[in-house]
Amino acid sequence: MPKPPIDPVRWQPPGSRPLPPPDPTPALTIVEIPGTAAEDVVVAADGTIWTGVEDGRIISVDPAGGAPRVITDTGGRPLGLAFTRDHRLLICDSHRGLLRYDPGTGQMETLVSEVAGKPLTFCSNAVESSDGTIYFTESTNRFHYEHYKGSVIEARGSGSLLRRDPDGSVSVLAAGLHFANGVTLTADESAVVFAESTGRRLSTYWLSGPRRGSITPLVEELPGHPDNISTGRDGRIWVAMVSDRNALSDWLSPRAPVLRRLLWRLTPYRWLPDPAPVVWVVAFDPEDGRVLTQFRAEHRDFGLVTGVVEADGRLWMGRIAGPGLAYFRL
């Protein structure tokens, strides 16, 4: 697939503050699935783990060890997933937009395909509140998943946090974000927490109280790139850290855009800077951003963690650029 053009800007990446030392990492169990790049992981009401792979299929995994089942196919590239209060599945698809699948009827419907007349290009992650409002992110409005590196090299804030009301209307809550990614509700639904991968931060969008409608920082200057996030049973915010910061990207971003245009034009896509594989997840306090738990390890068969969910004493993880799911016993 030909690379689309880029329009780089000078941008100074955020600094980096070290996290506390990680906790002892439990043994990692790999679970094979039929497909690669299982971007996100969510838990259904019956305890099964659901994910989406790069060829468009949605797959259900039995934690007890039963064979994985292919549930449906979006026909695009599913990324972030979330179950709704009535047990339907929200699917962020980079090519089709925000979808909703009903396991009971097998019906797939498109909820949002465009925003303000512009196609939704990189729908990334979503979550539904108890009143049916859906909060979702668009990582960039300039590139599809297959060319996500273009957004990184361009260094242009082209991501958004959006809201779909139960009546179907869509609002932009925040724009100009640096690769908006994971999104989750706090346990009491007083706020939405969202991640910016290249911005290396977590922020809080307040839904109630005196700060309603405002955005405040939760964690800034992370030493790596946060991806999808989820809320744990005790209210902690689990964050999949896909990789450490990339020194070459940090060096290029504040420099002349012509350097990055040439890099993009002359370098095969697969040779452009890649994240370094690591198994890395962090749990933050939703009120003050303190690190509550951190697991970090290297594993020859797993890395580049992009999704995380806590379920029945296990911490399940999805990934990009490779096969399988994995979990720790907590």
Side-chain angles (χ1 to χ4, degrees), residues 208-225:
S208 61
R211 291 178 287 187
R212 181 179 180 180
S214 67
I215 295 175
T216 58
L218 180 62
V219 185
E220 297 184 289
E221 296 185 336
L222 284 166
H225 301 286

Side-chain angles (χ1 to χ4, degrees), residues 17-325:
R17 289 184 287 180
L19 298 177
D23 298 306
T25 304
L28 187 70
T29 300
I30 309 293
V31 178
E32 294 184 4
I33 60 171
T36 59
E39 167 83 10
D40 199 11
V41 280
V42 291
V43 57
D46 63 0
T48 55
I49 304 298
W50 289 43
T51 188
V53 293
E54 63 184 353
D55 64 7
R57 291 176 297 165
I58 303 296
I59 296 169
S60 170
V61 174
D62 180 1
R69 293 189 303 123
V70 176
I71 302 297
T72 187
D73 192 324
T74 69
R77 189 359 174 163
L79 299 172
L81 308 175
F83 276 103
T84 65
R85 52 191 174 149
D86 59 1
H87 310 306
R88 290 183 287 181
L89 182 70
L90 297 176
I91 305 169
C92 286
D93 190 291
S94 177
H95 292 276
R96 296 191 55 195
L98 180 63
L99 313 177
R100 184 167 58 194
Y101 173 73
D102 188 335
T105 65
Q107 180 183 4
M108 183 84 70
E109 59 180 322
T110 300
L111 298 182
V112 182
S113 61
E114 61 179 41
V115 177
K118 185 172 182 177
L120 192 58
T121 304
F122 199 132
C123 188
S124 190
N125 202 250
V127 66
E128 186 190 64
S129 67
S130 57
D131 67 359
T133 301
I134 298 171
Y135 300 91
F136 64 103
T137 54
E138 183 178 33
S139 291
T140 169
N141 59 17
R142 298 177 51 75
F143 303 91
H144 286 296
Y145 167 84
E146 289 78 7
H147 291 117
Y148 78 91
K149 293 180 186 179
S151 179
V152 177
I153 293 173
E154 197 175 64
R156 182 182 295 274
S158 56
S160 301
L161 173 68
L162 304 110
R163 180 185 69 214
R164 181 188 185 274
D165 292 319
D167 64 5
S169 59
V170 177
S171 306
V172 179
L173 303 181
L177 304 178
H178 284 272
F179 213 86
N181 212 320
V183 61
T184 190
L185 286 158
T186 56
D188 61 0
E189 296 196 2
S190 64
V192 171
V193 177
F194 64 95
E196 292 172 77
S197 292
T198 53
R200 297 200 288 264
R201 63 184 174 185
L202 306 178
S203 301
T204 303
Y205 180 90
W206 294 95
L207 302 177
S208 61
R211 291 178 287 187
R212 181 179 180 180
S214 67
I215 295 175
T216 58
L218 180 62
V219 185
E220 297 184 289
E221 296 185 336
L222 284 166
H225 301 286
D227 206 285
N228 289 317
I229 67 179
S230 63
T231 302
R233 294 182 64 187
D234 63 355
R236 63 182 54 195
I237 306 298
W238 283 109
V239 179
M241 300 291 291
V242 65
S243 74
D244 293 297
R245 56 191 299 173
N246 186 286
L248 178 57
S249 294
D250 282 358
W251 184 86
L252 284 170
S253 293
R255 285 169 170 77
V258 66
L259 294 175
R260 282 169 283 148
R261 286 196 186 95
L262 287 172
L263 177 70
W264 181 254
R265 185 185 309 159
L266 302 177
T267 307
Y269 187 80
R270 67 183 182 277
W271 292 355
L272 292 168
D274 269 326
V278 64
V279 181
W280 191 8
V281 290
V282 188
F284 294 97
D285 188 296
E287 296 183 3
D288 58 17
R290 287 182 300 115
V291 174
L292 302 177
T293 307
Q294 179 183 192
F295 298 126
R296 182 185 170 106
E298 293 185 2
H299 195 285
R300 66 178 186 177
D301 297 323
F302 200 81
L304 299 175
V305 176
T306 51
V308 58
V309 68
E310 183 181 345
D312 194 27
R314 298 175 178 178
L315 194 66
W316 286 84
M317 291 165 285
R319 65 177 302 187
I320 56 171
L325 300 176

